[in-house]
Amino acid sequence: MAWRCTGATNAELIKNLARSQIIKSDRALAAMNKVDRAHYVLWKDEAYQDSPQPIGYDATISAPHMHAHATENLIPFLKPGARVLDVGSGSGYLCAIFYHLVAGDPKVTGGGKVVGIEHIPQLVEWSVGNLRKDGLGAAVDEGRIEMVAGDGRQGYAKEGPYDAIHVGAAAPTMPKALVDQLARPGRMFIPVGIGSQQIIQVDKDEEGRVTETALFDVMYVPLTDRP
Ligand code: SAH
């Protein structure tokens, strides 16, 4: 059903995601409208299709409806000033959306930060170029968006803990390092499973208690060793 969200323009794609109730909040709607998906894909004439697209190196940019689901799920934790980790950041598209949500006013909130971690260095470099084309060069230069080459299964403890963690590739089992790097409170949106996968919402409360909620079945590329 989500596939019918395809539009002729970015604005139309986002409008269709909202009409289908996949984007529910005004904040997610505003953030997604600020990011032009055409800057994050290889096949520009299919930029506004609600489908995944190959980005090289066996990676894909996820379908817009999956990015919308992830954003909506994490939105209570994507407040101005929040710190966010995107594992398997690929194209950088979701990092851009998260950035618009957490940036805030550095004088008021201390400024948010988004870290994208991706194990293919060529994709890291490409994603930085994509973010620049999308008008986020200053955020990259000032370190408010940091794109790191590395094994995302280990997270990126140096910049943690994170109010929100998004994982864009399926883990065979729940990665402990990522749960450890969640703030109190914090939430992670992660596909888990081999073969059949489910999105698991991992919540850590103020006392550090962790609960897992299975949301829905998905098909993601696996979190792997670097090929
Ligand atoms: N969310 C991104 C990419 C999704 S595809 C987007 O929508 O553009 C999943 C990504 O995870 C791929 O880019 C792949 O290279 C990356 N990946 C797979 N295993 C990884 C690992 N161990 N560490 C970091 N990144 C990984």
Side-chain angles (χ1 to χ4, degrees), residues 119-195:
H119 69 164
I120 310 284
Q122 293 92 330
L123 283 179
V124 176
E125 200 179 318
W126 180 63
S127 66
V128 169
N130 296 344
L131 291 161
R132 288 192 190 285
K133 277 185 267 169
D134 203 26
L136 295 172
V140 171
D141 293 338
E142 289 160 19
R144 288 178 279 134
I145 302 178
E146 186 177 346
M147 305 304 278
V148 180
D151 187 351
R153 292 171 293 194
Q154 307 307 319
Y156 196 64
K158 199 173 142 217
E159 290 291 334
Y162 300 97
D163 302 285
I165 299 179
H166 170 266
V167 185
T173 56
M174 187 61 70
K176 184 176 180 299
L178 297 181
V179 179
D180 288 347
Q181 287 169 39
L182 267 182
R184 306 176 174 196
R187 176 177 290 176
M188 174 159 63
F189 180 98
I190 178 172
V192 180
I194 306 167

Side-chain angles (χ1 to χ4, degrees), residues 37-198:
R37 193 165 182 266
H39 292 307
Y40 301 86
V41 297
L42 297 177
W43 307 340
K44 307 289 182 199
D45 51 352
E46 295 183 12
Y48 309 125
Q49 288 196 7
D50 188 17
S51 58
Q53 197 188 111
I55 54 173
Y57 311 95
D58 285 337
T60 55
I61 178 170
S62 303
H65 67 267
M66 279 312 307
H67 284 142
H69 276 304
T71 304
E72 277 297 344
N73 180 263
L74 293 170
I75 205 120
F77 297 85
L78 297 172
K79 297 196 178 110
R83 302 180 77 78
V84 188
L85 179 67
D86 183 25
V87 175
S89 46
S91 64
Y93 177 79
L94 207 46
C95 292
I97 292 168
F98 291 160
Y99 174 73
H100 289 298
L101 286 161
V102 304
D105 178 349
K107 281 182 227 109
V108 180
T109 58
K113 171 144 185 169
V114 178
V115 177
I117 185 161
E118 163 60 54
H119 69 164
I120 310 284
Q122 293 92 330
L123 283 179
V124 176
E125 200 179 318
W126 180 63
S127 66
V128 169
N130 296 344
L131 291 161
R132 288 192 190 285
K133 277 185 267 169
D134 203 26
L136 295 172
V140 171
D141 293 338
E142 289 160 19
R144 288 178 279 134
I145 302 178
E146 186 177 346
M147 305 304 278
V148 180
D151 187 351
R153 292 171 293 194
Q154 307 307 319
Y156 196 64
K158 199 173 142 217
E159 290 291 334
Y162 300 97
D163 302 285
I165 299 179
H166 170 266
V167 185
T173 56
M174 187 61 70
K176 184 176 180 299
L178 297 181
V179 179
D180 288 347
Q181 287 169 39
L182 267 182
R184 306 176 174 196
R187 176 177 290 176
M188 174 159 63
F189 180 98
I190 178 172
V192 180
I194 306 167
S196 111
Q197 308 162 357
Q198 285 184 313

